[in-house]
Amino acid sequence: MNILLLGSGGREHALGWKLAQSPLCDKLWAAPGNPGIAQLAECTSLDATDHDAVIAFAKDNAIGLVVIGPEAPLVDGLADSLRAAGIDTFGPSKQAAQLEGSKGFTKELCQRAGIPTARYERCTSLEAAWGALKRFKPPFVLKADGLAAGKGVVIAETYEQAQEALGEMFDGRFGSAGSEVVIEQFLTGEEASFFALTDGTAIVPIGTAQDHKRVGEGDTGPNTGGMGAYSPAPVLTDALQAQVMREIVEPTVRTMAAEGTPYSGVLYAGLMLTKDGPQLIEYNARFGDPECQVLMMRLESDLVELMQACAQGRLGEVAAPKLSDDFALTVVMAAEGYPDTPKKGGTIDLGDAEANGAKVFHAGTKLEGETLTANGGRVLNVTARGASATEAQTKAYAAVDAIDFADGFCRRDIGQREVRRERG
Ligand code: AMP
Ligand code: GLY
């Protein structure tokens, strides 16, 4: 079967790496891809917002499965267009992708389905939002409703800061994402991510992970798309995972189906493990980036079989995903200036970073002649496996140290929370 993978990040490199390993994959195409993906797939430039062009490409190249990596084309309804043209697609419909595309939609679904999540109010004007603030206590959690590339959440310590942030949100700081704001109760606990595949009916877990969202060591500085991750996240014990399935993921998938907007694809639940149990912080309608890289590093099952089963409503007929007991850990190497103004063009020499079983997934890279250069904020995802988080961390940083990327930086404390726990 020919497969078309859409996207260009480290997440898509990791997905492509697993897809290409499958005996079910004859030819892998990627659009637009990146230099890392180009080693496994034929890259082509396709505009994912031009649905007719994607459909025409898929028909011309006998594509049997389209895999949509990022959220924007999902929220834009690309999966609907492809399915309407008879092309099997991994990824939710436009309606179902509202679980990521609208925080207000998700909060209301949680309310209807009795899913544990922070108390909230939806506000469509600055006046209403200022009024609602009075019904919450600091710190205030303020969320722009729509897609904002992981940057639409403000945690304000004081009432004045919250008022100011709301002013900016309604003033267009997040574009149209800020025309509605959700105010939430602040939750305390440790964060963890839980991933499940579903075809709308059957649901199977595909691993846990912890991300490192802040740019600086010790979780300081501005939020980013993610500076590193590891999997599994042992804080999500088997008992907690069963509780997450029962109280959060299953009621979500059941309610979406019952309401005529079945969800298929991967459902990524961002959780807060509070003293009262796991609460849903947010859903994403795609794999996390860089969480996907560590999940794919551990996945032993055939990803093509799983994704095709999701796309065709046959997930209940195939074996559930099997992940190795190993830990995987990925360190993001970013370009200087990320997340504000990443410097482009810095040269990269990967050296023998992969010599000891590590894997370097490309994100924002570009080939200029023979030279690999930085072409984005997050540039490389240096990923390794080990029997413990400590071993995976040691191997990942050894690989980082083998790379020459003068204009790059990384956090040196990825996985530190788990490493400390392992030390006891
Ligand atoms: P989100 O984009 O909804 O995942 O939010 C981004 C980050 O803000 C999360 O990863 C949390 O660290 C934090 N956050 C979001 N909602 C809450 C909440 N209700 N209580 C505490 N922290 C939150
Ligand atoms: N790493 C966070 C995300 O993909 O949303």
Side-chain angles (χ1 to χ4, degrees), residues 275-360:
K275 64 175 179 16
D276 304 321
Q279 303 235 5
L280 181 71
I281 299 177
E282 64 160 356
Y283 271 132
N284 292 308
R286 35 110 194 145
F287 279 107
D289 187 349
E291 295 91 324
C292 184
Q293 289 79 314
V294 285
L295 295 178
M296 292 306 119
M297 203 74 176
R298 293 182 52 226
L299 183 68
E300 291 176 344
S301 309
D302 185 329
L303 185 62
V304 175
E305 179 182 70
L306 289 166
M307 287 185 155
Q308 194 180 31
C310 284
Q312 297 177 341
R314 294 188 295 101
L315 189 60
E317 296 167 22
V318 304
K322 187 168 167 6
L323 282 93
S324 105
D325 291 335
D326 274 2
F327 278 78
L329 186 143
T330 190
V331 178
V332 171
M333 295 184 83
E336 231 170 63
Y338 179 73
D340 298 328
T341 45
K343 181 172 170 187
K344 282 196 179 177
T347 58
I348 302 162
D349 180 352
L350 296 179
D352 60 355
E354 294 190 336
N356 291 315
K359 181 78 202 153
V360 180

Side-chain angles (χ1 to χ4, degrees), residues 18-369:
K18 281 308 284 185
L19 292 170
Q21 284 170 26
S22 166
L24 298 170
C25 179
D26 293 316
K27 166 144 190 172
L28 182 63
W29 288 90
N34 66 34
I37 298 172
Q39 294 168 7
L40 330 146
E42 182 164 344
C43 295
T44 176
S45 54
L46 254 183
D47 176 4
T49 65
D50 184 347
H51 296 190
D52 289 339
V54 180
I55 291 167
F57 179 90
K59 296 217 153 144
D60 288 349
N61 293 283
I63 299 294
L65 178 69
V66 178
V67 175
I68 302 178
E71 61 275 21
L74 295 167
V75 171
D76 183 43
L78 179 60
D80 307 66
S81 301
L82 286 162
R83 281 195 275 264
I87 300 159
D88 283 344
T89 303
F90 179 81
S93 69
K94 180 180 178 129
Q95 286 290 323
Q98 285 302 299
L99 281 180
E100 172 161 6
S102 166
K103 306 226 180 252
F105 173 90
T106 301
K107 290 305 252 185
E108 287 188 355
L109 178 115
C110 286
Q111 202 166 45
R112 289 197 298 282
I115 292 166
T117 189
R119 182 173 69 81
Y120 73 100
E121 287 193 37
R122 288 177 89 163
C123 310
T124 50
S125 73
L126 183 59
E127 294 67 40
W130 280 28
L133 271 187
K134 301 197 182 84
R135 295 185 283 278
F136 291 84
K137 291 197 183 70
F140 301 98
V141 182
L142 316 170
K143 300 186 173 182
D145 183 68
L147 288 185
K151 289 149 201 152
V153 176
V154 174
I155 311 238
E157 297 297 331
T158 67
Y159 191 69
E160 290 69 30
Q161 284 166 3
Q163 284 186 316
E164 192 181 324
L166 286 169
E168 287 177 9
M169 283 177 163
F170 282 106
D171 236 13
R173 175 167 154 195
F174 302 109
S176 60
S179 60
E180 178 175 331
V181 169
V182 171
I183 303 182
E184 267 185 32
Q185 172 207 351
F186 184 81
L187 299 172
T188 329
E190 186 165 341
E191 282 186 67
S193 305
F194 180 87
F195 297 84
L197 295 180
T198 176
D199 60 3
T201 310
I203 313 167
V204 291
I206 187 167
T208 60
Q210 265 182 330
D211 188 13
H212 298 63
K213 286 194 166 64
R214 304 292 202 91
V215 74
E217 275 151 30
D219 297 325
T220 53
N223 263 329
T224 69
M227 293 299 293
Y230 64 91
S231 172
V235 283
L236 269 175
T237 58
D238 288 349
L240 282 174
Q241 288 185 56
Q243 192 177 352
V244 169
M245 281 291 278
R246 197 171 62 240
E247 296 182 358
I248 299 178
V249 175
E250 287 168 6
T252 300
V253 171
R254 268 202 313 272
T255 305
M256 293 294 285
E259 296 182 350
T261 52
Y263 186 96
S264 79
V266 59
L267 190 57
Y268 157 2
L271 305 167
M272 188 71 85
L273 307 179
T274 74
K275 64 175 179 16
D276 304 321
Q279 303 235 5
L280 181 71
I281 299 177
E282 64 160 356
Y283 271 132
N284 292 308
R286 35 110 194 145
F287 279 107
D289 187 349
E291 295 91 324
C292 184
Q293 289 79 314
V294 285
L295 295 178
M296 292 306 119
M297 203 74 176
R298 293 182 52 226
L299 183 68
E300 291 176 344
S301 309
D302 185 329
L303 185 62
V304 175
E305 179 182 70
L306 289 166
M307 287 185 155
Q308 194 180 31
C310 284
Q312 297 177 341
R314 294 188 295 101
L315 189 60
E317 296 167 22
V318 304
K322 187 168 167 6
L323 282 93
S324 105
D325 291 335
D326 274 2
F327 278 78
L329 186 143
T330 190
V331 178
V332 171
M333 295 184 83
E336 231 170 63
Y338 179 73
D340 298 328
T341 45
K343 181 172 170 187
K344 282 196 179 177
T347 58
I348 302 162
D349 180 352
L350 296 179
D352 60 355
E354 294 190 336
N356 291 315
K359 181 78 202 153
V360 180
F361 294 114
H362 291 229
T365 63
K366 186 176 165 188
L367 265 182
E368 296 188 40

